[in-house]
Amino acid sequence: MLFVLASMIPLIFSGLVIVYYSASKCTDTIHNNLNNSTEQIGVFLNKYFYEDVLQKSQTLAAYISAIEEQNFDEKEKSFLIKQQLASSNFCGLMLFPTKSNSSNTRYSKTKNNPPEIVFSYAESFADSLNKTFQVNPVQYVIKYFWGDTLPYVLTAVPVKGENIPVNVIVSISQLSELHSLFQDLSKEKAVSLCLVDDKGEYMCGKFRTERDSLTILGIKNFIRHHYKTRSNKGDLKDSIIESEVINGKKYLFRFKYLNSMDKSITAISPAVTMKSIFQNIYLEMVLVLILTLMLAILAQYYVFIRIIKPIRRLTDAASRVAKGDFDVKIENINRDNIGDLTQVFNSILSQIRTFNQINIDKIIVERKKLEHIIEQMVAGILIVDPENNILICNNVFADWYRLDKKTILNKKLSAIEELKVFHTMIEDLNWKRSPEVKQERIENYNGTKSDPQILQAVASNIFTSGKTFLATSIYVRDITKEVEVDKLKTELLSIVAHELRSPLVSIIGFSEMLKDGDLDQELNMEYNRIIYDESIRLSAFVDQFLDLTRIESGSFPMHLKEENFTKTVRQSIKLFQSQAKYKNIKLQTEFSSSPMVLKYDNDLIARSIGNYLSNAIKYSPSGSVVKIRTFLDNNRAVLEIEDNGQGISDDNLNRIFDKFYRVKNTATKDKKGSGLGLAFVKQVIEKHNGRVYVKSRLKEGSVFGFSIPLD
């Protein structure tokens, strides 16, 4: 019970603090609402009267003065004034004549607006208006009048001019906007608002909470008294919020004076007291006390049931663990700090039981990560344990040696015939357990006798941080293309040097003989011919090499025109008739009967056909036949040249169109050539969106061809 009472004390204290804070906050809110309301209405009135009503009234007076000076008849004057009134914001207009025996004139925008009571009020002070403007020539006089349901403002402005029958006009405006503003602010700010004249008399307003007439009368009397007191002292300034007890109730007043209009805005609100607050929240205080009692009971239940009991369970379990019983598990029904403690206790015991299993799971996860990384590598990976068993092998390595990765895992490296070269490579490294790195270049034939795959293998041992030997890794990289590139570079230099050197040696040698001058005319002409032929040969090699390079880089200009393909082939054949006749070789033609007109570079295609014909004649035996065929195939122009040479092996066919590549056999070793002709043909035809091909068998001859699309 004492615990319950002790729990209630801070709750009750907190409630009192909240009540005090609420009273202070409520008072500040009321002050802000009073200030904001008077300021907003003051801004509205200044704008409304000086920027709208007054300026438009003066404009209307000037307009009427202009009409009177024009001597219009009464009907025309009435029409023009009504038209001007219809376009203005005024609801009515009265014209007061200069002569006292004349009657005033009324104008209304709509029927019954303004009502008759407003016009009557305007007439009641017509005489005073004339006297006012005669004694004191002011610019305007503004009066307020409450009509049937809404306030109105009457703005009197003198009409200036000589011999004008109208002395004063009174424009009538309906203050519906002011009335709406009073209602909106009264509702929004929870205050009462009213507008008083220069004598402190109530003019219009909105009383929000004051219903009885005595209270409203008391408020009006206080406002009148306050205004007169300040006026007598000459202290008509915005006053601070003042309080006054009216009809037994305390009210707060905020006065804002509009000196330019001789008006005052007053905002009124009931004052906030501790008594009123307690009266308003009496029911809430009772509920707070009941809730406080319930919370105290719940707190006692929480302490005895939700804290002490779980702690006792933890104490008992800890005693059992201290005695060696690790199978203890406490049921966790709490979701608080005690529950967290219980969960930690259970987690510690669970971790002790599953420590080894967790380590195994981690190893498996890390192994899977490593395997995934290894499989994504473009190089081959092979890892063997200290007993020479294969632990890891990625697919790249297995594919190189056409092995099934699943079947070789956990097998001895030395037991796999295809991988014995790696066993020999790491045998010393594995036995010595040394940290050195061993590199070796290995040729892999993949079970064929073709050009081997060149592999670069790097082997090293893997150790733990404690220098314990774990395994040996072999990193294998395919360097076949790199080796081929190096080989091509060497061959290029050799071929270029040979092709340049041979004609240069002949040119230099025969030039020296001619220089001596001891030659007869026949020898002199023969040596000059040789020098000329070698120069042409040298120039042709350089031109063909440069043209091929420019075509590959795309800088060679191509001149595409519509040509007759068959005609180009015929012209190329004529150029090689003498060469074929010299070797007693017959050139047999078979041309397509269909027209073969397409766009191509005639010079490049002719040179390509010439390379095919030159090779066919060069490598065909004397007395044989070289066949030249043209035909259409799938909207493509096709040329085939068939010779009776020694043919080309399958190993050489794949590289026959490479630069500087020449087939090495007994039939070609005595034949001169740069190895650029077929490479030139391939580049030219591919630039024309065509393709080259070759069909050949050893000792059966070859068929070289190409096709170009007609479109």
Side-chain angles (χ1 to χ4, degrees):
M1 193 63 176
L2 291 175
F3 178 78
V4 174
L5 294 175
S7 302
M8 290 178 64
I9 292 174
L11 293 175
I12 294 172
F13 178 76
S14 300
L16 294 175
V17 171
I18 292 172
V19 170
Y20 177 78
Y21 176 77
S22 299
S24 176
K25 192 69 176 178
C26 185
T27 301
D28 292 340
T29 301
I30 291 175
H31 286 199
N32 290 333
N33 288 342
L34 293 173
N35 290 328
N36 292 338
S37 300
T38 55
E39 290 297 329
Q40 288 187 42
I41 294 175
V43 171
F44 170 80
L45 289 176
N46 278 313
K47 181 179 183 301
Y48 182 79
F49 288 121
Y50 290 103
E51 296 182 12
D52 193 358
V53 175
L54 181 58
Q55 291 181 4
K56 290 181 179 179
S57 296
Q58 292 173 340
T59 302
L60 186 58
Y63 180 77
I64 292 172
S65 177
I67 291 175
E68 294 292 347
E69 289 177 353
Q70 295 296 325
N71 295 320
F72 289 111
D73 59 34
E74 293 301 325
K75 188 174 182 180
E76 289 176 333
K77 290 180 184 179
S78 178
F79 174 77
L80 292 173
I81 293 173
K82 287 181 179 180
Q83 189 178 31
Q84 186 69 14
L85 177 62
S87 63
S88 68
N89 293 331
F90 301 123
C91 62
L93 181 66
M94 290 189 69
L95 305 182
F96 292 93
T98 304
K99 298 179 180 180
S100 59
N101 58 352
S102 300
S103 60
N104 56 64
T105 307
R106 301 183 183 183
Y107 294 96
S108 297
K109 182 177 288 187
T110 60
K111 188 177 181 180
N112 298 325
N113 187 20
E116 179 63 28
I117 189 174
V118 177
F119 282 117
S120 298
Y121 179 77
E123 288 179 353
S124 66
F125 72 101
D127 293 337
S128 62
L129 289 176
N130 283 316
K131 294 177 181 179
T132 299
F133 289 127
Q134 291 173 4
V135 176
N136 182 18
V138 296
Q139 298 297 323
Y140 61 90
V141 174
I142 296 176
K143 289 290 183 179
Y144 297 87
F145 180 73
W146 189 269
D148 293 337
T149 57
L150 293 172
Y152 289 84
V153 59
L154 282 67
T155 307
V157 179
V159 179
K160 299 178 181 180
E162 297 180 359
N163 300 320
I164 294 176
V166 179
N167 186 27
V168 179
I169 69 165
V170 177
S171 57
I172 305 170
S173 303
Q174 185 176 332
L175 289 176
S176 57
E177 294 182 19
L178 179 61
H179 186 61
S180 298
L181 183 61
F182 272 121
Q183 289 182 329
D184 293 342
L185 288 176
S186 177
K187 182 178 179 181
E188 177 186 350
K189 305 298 184 180
V191 296
S192 298
L193 297 164
C194 62
L195 185 67
V196 297
D197 62 11
D198 54 348
K199 296 182 177 60
E201 296 295 335
Y202 172 83
M203 298 178 61
C204 61
K206 175 66 177 176
F207 290 97
R208 181 176 179 275
T209 59
E210 296 72 33
R211 295 291 183 265
D212 61 288
S213 58
L214 289 177
T215 301
I216 295 175
L217 180 60
I219 290 174
K220 291 181 178 180
N221 290 334
F222 173 75
I223 294 172
R224 187 185 305 109
H225 174 73
H226 173 86
Y227 192 94
K228 289 181 178 180
T229 303
R230 290 297 181 98
S231 179
N232 293 334
K233 295 180 179 179
D235 186 21
L236 290 178
K237 297 180 181 178
D238 292 355
S239 66
I240 60 173
I241 294 174
E242 299 183 4
S243 61
E244 179 71 17
V245 177
I246 298 174
N247 201 19
K249 189 175 182 180
K250 189 175 183 180
Y251 288 88
L252 297 178
F253 292 83
R254 169 71 164 93
F255 295 92
K256 176 162 183 71
Y257 295 98
L258 306 176
N259 295 325
S260 59
M261 293 188 293
D262 294 328
K263 304 295 180 290
S264 173
I265 305 165
T266 304
I268 310 117
S269 175
V272 177
T273 62
M274 292 301 292
K275 180 180 179 181
S276 63
I277 291 176
F278 276 113
Q279 288 175 346
N280 292 331
I281 63 172
Y282 175 77
L283 181 59
E284 287 81 352
M285 289 297 296
V286 173
L287 292 176
V288 167
L289 291 175
I290 295 174
L291 182 61
T292 302
L293 181 60
M294 293 176 64
L295 289 175
I297 295 173
L298 289 175
Q300 186 179 21
Y301 171 79
Y302 179 84
V303 169
F304 286 100
I305 304 301
R306 304 286 291 178
I307 297 178
I308 295 178
K309 188 175 181 180
I311 289 177
R312 286 178 178 174
R313 286 202 303 266
L314 281 172
T315 303
D316 295 340
S319 300
R320 291 174 60 186
V321 171
K323 296 176 181 178
D325 184 4
F326 294 101
D327 293 329
V328 177
K329 184 175 182 180
I330 304 174
E331 183 181 0
N332 185 14
I333 60 174
N334 292 25
R335 295 184 179 274
D336 50 13
N337 292 336
I338 301 298
D340 295 340
L341 181 60
T342 303
Q343 186 176 356
V344 170
F345 185 85
N346 289 333
S347 298
I348 292 172
L349 293 177
S350 177
Q351 289 178 9
I352 293 173
R353 289 192 296 268
T354 61
F355 181 81
N356 292 332
Q357 185 62 39
I358 290 175
N359 284 343
I360 293 172
D361 291 341
K362 285 184 178 179
I363 292 172
I364 292 173
V365 170
E366 294 300 324
R367 181 185 178 91
K368 287 186 178 296
K369 289 181 182 178
L370 178 62
E371 289 177 352
H372 178 74
I373 294 172
I374 290 174
E375 288 299 334
Q376 298 302 314
M377 296 179 67
V378 295
I381 298 293
L382 185 69
I383 299 177
V384 297
D385 63 10
E387 285 74 33
N388 206 30
N389 297 314
I390 298 176
L391 296 176
I392 296 175
C393 171
N394 66 352
N395 287 326
V396 174
F397 186 89
D399 292 342
W400 283 343
Y401 286 91
R402 299 182 179 180
L403 298 171
D404 186 359
K405 185 179 72 172
K406 295 180 180 179
T407 60
I408 65 174
L409 291 178
N410 299 319
K411 285 188 177 181
K412 294 286 185 182
L413 181 63
S414 56
I416 302 173
E417 185 66 27
E418 294 87 343
L419 304 181
K420 282 187 177 180
V421 63
F422 294 101
H423 171 70
T424 304
M425 175 185 176
I426 67 171
E427 190 173 12
D428 293 342
L429 194 65
N430 200 336
W431 178 73
K432 292 179 182 178
R433 305 287 197 268
S434 64
E436 65 179 286
V437 177
K438 191 172 184 180
Q439 299 187 28
E440 191 171 321
R441 181 173 291 188
I442 298 171
E443 294 183 353
N444 176 29
Y445 285 88
N446 290 322
T448 65
K449 294 183 179 180
S450 60
D451 292 339
Q453 180 187 24
I454 310 301
L455 303 175
Q456 180 72 34
V458 180
S460 61
N461 290 330
I462 302 173
F463 299 90
T464 64
S465 57
K467 304 299 182 182
T468 302
F469 176 63
L470 293 178
T472 302
S473 68
I474 305 173
Y475 176 84
V476 186
R477 190 167 61 91
D478 186 357
I479 60 170
T480 305
K481 290 186 178 180
E482 297 176 13
V483 172
E484 289 179 355
V485 169
D486 291 340
K487 185 178 179 181
L488 284 174
K489 289 180 181 177
T490 304
E491 290 179 356
L492 173 63
L493 292 174
S494 176
I495 291 171
V496 171
H498 178 268
E499 293 297 326
L500 293 176
R501 184 178 180 183
S502 296
L504 285 175
V505 169
S506 298
I507 292 170
I508 293 171
F510 286 105
S511 297
E512 289 178 350
M513 291 180 184
L514 291 173
K515 185 179 179 182
D516 293 339
D518 298 333
L519 300 174
D520 56 27
Q521 186 176 359
E522 184 177 353
L523 284 175
N524 190 15
M525 291 179 63
E526 177 65 18
Y527 290 169
N528 278 317
R529 184 188 64 79
I530 294 173
I531 292 172
Y532 177 78
D533 290 344
E534 292 298 324
S535 299
I536 294 299
R537 177 186 164 195
L538 178 61
S539 177
F541 172 78
V542 173
D543 289 344
Q544 192 171 27
F545 181 75
L546 292 176
D547 288 347
L548 179 60
T549 304
R550 291 166 64 195
I551 291 173
E552 287 180 336
S553 64
S555 61
F556 191 90
M558 293 182 64
H559 305 285
L560 300 178
K561 294 191 300 182
E562 283 195 353
E563 304 281 355
N564 189 314
F565 185 67
T566 303
K567 182 180 178 181
T568 302
V569 175
R570 289 181 186 276
Q571 291 174 348
S572 300
I573 292 173
K574 287 181 181 180
L575 297 176
F576 289 89
Q577 288 285 1
S578 59
Q579 182 180 342
K581 187 176 181 181
Y582 179 78
K583 288 191 66 176
N584 193 25
I585 292 175
K586 182 181 179 182
L587 300 180
Q588 180 179 325
T589 61
E590 181 181 343
F591 297 119
S592 172
S593 59
S594 302
M596 303 176 70
V597 178
L598 60 151
K599 279 188 176 183
Y600 57 87
D601 188 312
N602 188 65
D603 180 61
L604 292 178
I605 295 297
R607 288 171 65 181
S608 301
I609 297 171
N611 283 333
Y612 270 1
L613 283 171
S614 176
N615 286 344
I617 295 170
K618 184 189 298 183
Y619 295 109
S620 293
S622 178
S624 62
V625 177
V626 172
K627 298 178 181 179
I628 302 105
R629 295 186 291 272
T630 64
F631 55 92
L632 290 175
D633 183 24
N634 291 329
N635 204 34
R636 301 173 75 90
V638 183
L639 168 72
E640 287 187 351
I641 298 179
E642 182 178 352
D643 63 39
N644 291 290
Q646 291 295 315
I648 306 170
S649 66
D650 292 339
D651 294 340
N652 290 316
L653 278 177
N654 294 331
R655 299 186 58 191
I656 195 68
F657 288 99
D658 292 349
K659 282 190 299 186
F660 302 112
Y661 185 79
R662 301 189 65 206
V663 178
K664 297 177 182 178
N665 54 38
T666 56
T668 61
K669 65 180 181 179
D670 295 330
K671 302 289 191 289
K672 292 184 178 181
S674 62
L676 295 176
L678 294 180
F680 178 85
V681 174
K682 181 182 178 183
Q683 290 297 326
V684 169
I685 299 304
E686 288 181 351
K687 290 295 181 182
H688 287 79
N689 297 322
R691 63 181 185 87
V692 297
Y693 59 91
V694 59
K695 297 178 284 187
S696 182
R697 287 188 180 182
L698 284 175
K699 299 181 181 180
E700 293 184 10
S702 304
V703 177
F704 283 85
F706 65 76
S707 64
I708 304 174
L710 294 179
D711 297 335

